Amino acid sequence: MKNPTKILPVVLAGLSLTATMVGCKPKTAGTATATDAASKVYVAPGKYDELYNFVSGGFSGQVAVYGLPSGRLLRVIPVFSQDPEKGWGYSEETIPMLNTSHGFVPWDDSHHPELSQTNGEVDGRWLFINGNNTPRVARLDLKTFRTAEIIEIPNSSGNHSSAFTTPNSEYVVAGTRFSVPMDNENGDVPINTYKQNFKGNVSFLSVDPQHGNMKIAFQIMLPGVDFDLAHSGKGPSDGWFFFSCYNTERAHTLLEVNASEKDKDFIMALNWKMAEQLIKEGKGKKQAVNYAHNTWDEASHSAKSVMEKEVTVLDYKDYPGLVYLMPCPKSPHGCDVSPSGEYIVGSGKLAALVPVFSFAKMQSAISAKNFEGDYQGIPVLKYEDVLHGEVKKPGLGPLHTEFDDKGNAYTSMFVSSEIVKWRLSDLKILDRIPTYYSIGHLHIPGGDSKKPYGKYMVAYNKITKDRYLPTGPELAQSAQLIDISGDKMKLLLDYPTIGEPHYAQSIVAEKVKGNSLKFFKLEENKHPYKTMGEKETKVVREGNKVHVYATAIRSHFAPDNIEGIRVGDEVYFHITNLEQDWDIPHGFAVKGANTAELLIMPGETTTLKWKPEKAGMYPMYCTDFCSALHQEMQGYVRVSPAGSNVPIKFSLNQKDSTVAVAD
């Protein structure tokens, strides 16, 4: 019989300890900071950082780019959420990028960025990231630092164990957090029929090795548990993917208690090479679904959205050997694979130890059929037979583990607000350092790849408290840079971040910055409304639609005076930035527009839609300071009443005419 009272004291004790930890500084705080920290993080004016640091924006739905070791914010890349600064999700070209089967969805919850890899090492081509809420995966092009593709994930809800790649980025995985009825089934069922009607699902998105284009290659239908995080095998474990699973109780209410009853949940080991072969053999069932696939075309500077109608689904019950389970204490969150590919680290949030599994032992146990039973038809391997060992008493609330290049692992401890360093070979604890406060993810550049960059680690903390100047009830999000180059970890820097940072990825700057696009070549502009020079500017009426073909160059628009617009017209400002120089964008805004501005890069064409609601005079101007005469970069749009016979008229540098005004 269920007994929640046995669990509540443990949960409450943990919460109490958390509150204590965030209310005061650890006694060791004074010794945690390196005395030469300032010199180690200082990047002189005009000098570059060593690393690009790509940080998830959490509930902001975006990706932030920082320089390391300085902690300087370099850029916010809009992904799943509208961004009025850049016009993302407002301009006519970018609106399709936020289309879904639910319509236009201008927000999401982005958690886990993942750099593309070649031979298990980060390569600087693309960055993938999940949309957790309306399940989506995005691909960012690191040549332009822009979102190039967003694909919706059907049969899924809460796309949390995502977006993690295989060692050559053959696939990006997307695992559901919330089990739900499948899309082709009746979802209008009583919630208390969870065990009968709710299913789990993981998706494998193939990635074109040359261009990066994604498609859903196959999905695997699984028991109705919650999948938390995932990582691909590498080296000897290449061909397998590992997922942390919780709520194996399959509870649907008060999961705080009802999904914490069992001493062990699972790490799921999935043989994706076997799944790939099954698909090649024509196995699996075609399932009717409906999901959006949105792509950005760099030549036309425009996006298109296509609704896809089918996926291929493999049911785990039909293919023995596809999936195995390894018991993992308790409510596991993290699921991390060592650089060698031999060790899989599970982190049970409610366990006072860190289990480390051996891939070689897992293979031996599978061959010997050393099962302790099954879970919903999936073989469960014996815990002792697959265990490399346990890190004893590491701290409270273990969450995530990453690795350096010296055979060491680092695990974040949410409840005790610290990072613990331990050795993979003998599981001995080597060092610990406090964090401020309640750390979630940690990140070592390359720390989930074959080749970690063993110099820095970043802690991403959930609570800031006294770390920064107070800003009302909501405080800045927090990151902390830690030196891991020596035997002892040393805190170097606190710096605030946007949104709620979860996971992050970093790469040596040299692998990215040399390929960065500086401007778009005008002669390669394929936008259907481009204007290649001021002589081509025009204003064209098509019924109640008016197309303004305009240009921007330091320091004027052409045309800069427009008349003949009527109330109720749909006006499309197609602005082409004629500059052919790096870092000379122009902005465009018009009074009363209920969308946003445009931010137009050199050589690019972008469109703002505007519907004037009343007659009058409407200034337009450049929003991005572009030259000494930036303030003079402006113009006027005259809007006449609906039904007016004022003709379309547009001009640049037309002098005033003298008009007699009656007394």
Side-chain angles (χ1 to χ4, degrees):
M1 185 175 179
K2 296 180 180 179
N3 188 1
T5 58
K6 291 183 179 180
I7 301 167
L8 278 171
V10 176
V11 175
L12 293 173
L15 293 174
S16 175
L17 181 56
T18 302
T20 302
M21 291 301 298
V22 301
C24 60
K25 293 176 180 167
K27 293 179 181 179
T28 55
T31 60
T33 305
T35 55
D36 58 346
S39 64
K40 289 188 174 183
V41 301
Y42 178 69
V43 177
K47 299 296 183 182
Y48 290 155
D49 280 281
E50 293 176 48
L51 299 155
Y52 287 102
N53 178 216
F54 299 94
V55 183
S56 65
F59 47 66
S60 79
Q62 317 293 37
V63 168
V65 186
Y66 297 86
L68 293 180
S70 71
R72 298 182 294 199
L73 177 62
L74 304 176
R75 183 168 181 79
V76 175
I77 305 174
V79 185
F80 299 111
S81 299
Q82 287 180 300
D83 182 353
E85 177 194 357
K86 301 173 183 68
W88 179 258
Y90 292 100
S91 72
E92 294 300 292
E93 290 80 5
T94 60
I95 285 172
M97 292 297 288
L98 301 182
N99 187 43
T100 75
S101 62
H102 305 276
F104 180 75
V105 178
W107 171 84
D108 217 309
D109 185 17
S110 58
H111 281 207
H112 305 121
E114 180 89 337
L115 286 162
S116 57
Q117 296 186 10
T118 301
N119 297 324
E121 298 180 21
V122 294
D123 57 29
R125 293 178 295 165
W126 308 302
L127 181 81
F128 304 94
I129 190 164
N130 64 325
N132 190 29
N133 183 63
T134 304
R136 290 174 276 185
V137 169
R139 176 176 60 88
L140 282 61
D141 188 338
L142 296 186
K143 185 172 69 175
T144 59
F145 280 62
R146 286 184 168 184
T147 302
E149 188 174 13
I150 297 177
I151 190 167
E152 189 180 3
I153 311 298
N155 290 326
S156 181
S157 189
N159 173 39
H160 194 258
S161 54
S162 176
F164 301 103
T165 75
T166 51
N168 284 293
S169 296
E170 302 98 330
Y171 295 99
V172 177
V173 74
T176 187
R177 171 183 172 184
F178 306 107
S179 290
V180 290
M182 296 294 96
D183 285 3
N184 67 331
E185 298 173 344
N186 180 20
D188 183 20
V189 296
I191 296 173
N192 64 11
T193 64
Y194 186 107
K195 292 182 179 180
Q196 292 77 41
N197 292 311
F198 290 49
K199 299 179 180 69
N201 180 282
V202 297
S203 303
F204 281 77
L205 284 62
S206 63
V207 181
D208 178 82
Q210 183 175 359
H211 303 291
N213 303 98
M214 301 183 294
K215 67 178 181 179
I216 299 178
F218 55 87
Q219 296 187 313
I220 300 175
M221 189 163 63
L222 293 156
V225 300
D226 293 15
F227 297 101
D228 202 338
L229 287 175
H231 270 101
S232 173
K234 54 181 79 78
S237 56
D238 187 12
W240 291 79
F241 231 105
F242 303 93
F243 298 78
S244 57
C245 311
Y246 68 104
N247 191 24
T248 55
E249 297 86 350
R250 292 188 292 161
H252 59 79
T253 183
L254 195 61
L255 266 63
E256 175 187 15
V257 171
N258 295 323
S260 303
E261 293 181 342
K262 295 183 178 181
D263 288 334
K264 291 185 175 68
D265 289 289
F266 299 117
I267 297 295
M268 181 177 76
L270 191 154
N271 187 338
W272 66 262
K273 286 283 190 182
M274 177 181 173
E276 182 182 60
Q277 184 60 37
L278 289 169
I279 294 299
K280 288 179 181 178
E281 295 171 1
K283 303 294 175 60
K285 297 177 181 178
K286 301 293 184 183
Q287 186 186 115
V289 290
N290 189 39
Y291 64 98
H293 188 183
N294 311 326
T295 53
W296 181 260
D297 178 24
E298 208 62 76
S300 66
H301 309 160
S302 302
K304 67 176 180 180
S305 179
V306 175
M307 298 307 297
E308 306 282 1
K309 300 296 182 182
E310 187 178 77
V311 290
T312 302
V313 179
L314 298 168
D315 190 329
Y316 76 97
K317 294 178 181 177
D318 298 333
Y319 304 103
L322 184 61
V323 186
Y324 296 92
L325 297 173
M326 296 186 289
C328 182
K330 175 178 183 184
S331 296
H333 187 50
C335 181
D336 303 285
V337 180
S338 67
S340 69
E342 169 58 18
Y343 301 117
I344 302 102
V345 181
S347 299
K349 300 189 296 290
L350 302 181
L353 54 85
V354 175
V356 183
F357 302 98
S358 162
F359 180 74
K361 287 185 175 182
M362 185 192 92
Q363 291 293 86
S364 297
I366 290 172
S367 297
K369 299 187 184 302
N370 290 341
F371 306 140
E372 64 179 35
D374 72 88
Y375 177 84
Q376 301 295 306
I378 302 177
V380 178
L381 301 166
K382 291 182 179 178
Y383 182 67
E384 295 77 10
D385 289 345
V386 296
L387 192 69
H388 169 59
E390 297 174 338
V391 182
K392 303 290 188 181
K393 298 181 180 179
L396 297 177
L399 291 184
H400 305 283
T401 300
E402 291 222 337
F403 310 92
D404 66 16
D405 56 348
K406 305 176 188 70
N408 302 313
Y410 302 75
T411 301
S412 58
M413 302 289 165
F414 177 79
V415 178
S416 52
S417 289
E418 59 183 329
I419 295 172
V420 175
K421 176 182 178 181
W422 50 276
R423 192 159 46 218
L424 273 163
S425 58
D426 60 7
L427 310 183
K428 180 182 178 181
I429 293 175
L430 304 175
D431 191 22
R432 59 181 71 235
I433 189 171
T435 57
Y436 309 98
Y437 305 94
S438 297
I439 181 176
H441 278 276
L442 55 77
H443 161 62
I444 293 171
D448 67 341
S449 73
K450 280 186 177 180
K451 192 174 182 180
Y453 183 79
K455 186 174 181 180
Y456 301 115
M457 175 171 58
V458 186
Y460 297 99
N461 306 319
K462 299 302 181 186
I463 300 172
T464 307
K465 288 291 186 184
D466 50 16
R467 302 304 291 177
Y468 308 118
L469 286 171
T471 52
E474 183 183 10
L475 302 179
Q477 307 294 319
S478 171
Q480 295 183 299
L481 182 69
I482 296 166
D483 182 350
I484 60 169
S485 60
D487 292 336
K488 295 294 183 180
M489 296 178 282
K490 297 178 180 179
L491 178 62
L492 298 178
L493 181 69
D494 277 13
Y495 61 97
T497 66
I498 70 159
E500 184 203 2
H502 289 258
Y503 191 43
Q505 294 267 280
S506 295
I507 188 169
V508 174
E510 297 303 320
K511 287 191 175 184
V512 176
K513 71 182 181 70
N515 297 321
S516 183
L517 183 73
K518 294 189 174 183
F519 58 86
F520 299 101
K521 295 180 180 179
L522 274 171
E523 63 270 21
E524 296 177 1
N525 186 329
K526 305 299 183 186
H527 194 288
Y529 292 97
K530 67 180 180 294
T531 306
M532 299 299 286
E534 292 182 3
K535 291 183 179 180
E536 296 182 15
T537 60
K538 57 186 175 181
V539 180
V540 178
R541 175 177 289 283
E542 298 174 355
N544 72 326
K545 294 182 179 179
V546 178
H547 294 275
V548 179
Y549 296 73
T551 61
I553 196 166
R554 288 167 287 183
S555 296
H556 62 268
F557 292 108
D560 63 2
N561 281 255
I562 301 171
E563 300 184 45
I565 306 299
R566 303 167 188 157
V567 171
D569 281 346
E570 291 182 3
V571 184
Y572 295 86
F573 292 98
H574 309 289
I575 314 294
T576 299
N577 183 344
L578 297 179
E579 307 284 356
Q580 292 288 266
D581 191 7
W582 191 21
D583 196 26
I584 308 294
H586 287 294
F588 176 82
V590 61
K591 178 183 176 181
N594 59 3
T595 50
E597 66 158 3
L598 297 178
L599 195 58
I600 315 124
M601 297 301 112
E604 184 179 34
T605 301
T606 309
T607 303
L608 181 73
K609 179 182 176 180
W610 177 53
K611 287 187 71 172
E613 299 294 333
K614 60 181 180 180
M617 195 61 63
Y618 291 84
M620 58 183 185
Y621 66 103
C622 177
T623 54
D624 192 306
F625 204 102
C626 55
S627 71
L629 295 176
H630 164 74
Q631 286 293 99
E632 284 75 14
M633 193 168 175
Q634 64 182 52
Y636 293 96
V637 181
R638 174 188 172 189
V639 176
S640 300
S644 167
N645 59 2
V646 175
I648 289 289
K649 181 181 178 182
F650 57 95
S651 63
L652 172 68
N653 199 29
Q654 180 176 322
K655 302 299 184 180
D656 293 342
S657 58
T658 303
V659 178
V661 179
D663 292 336

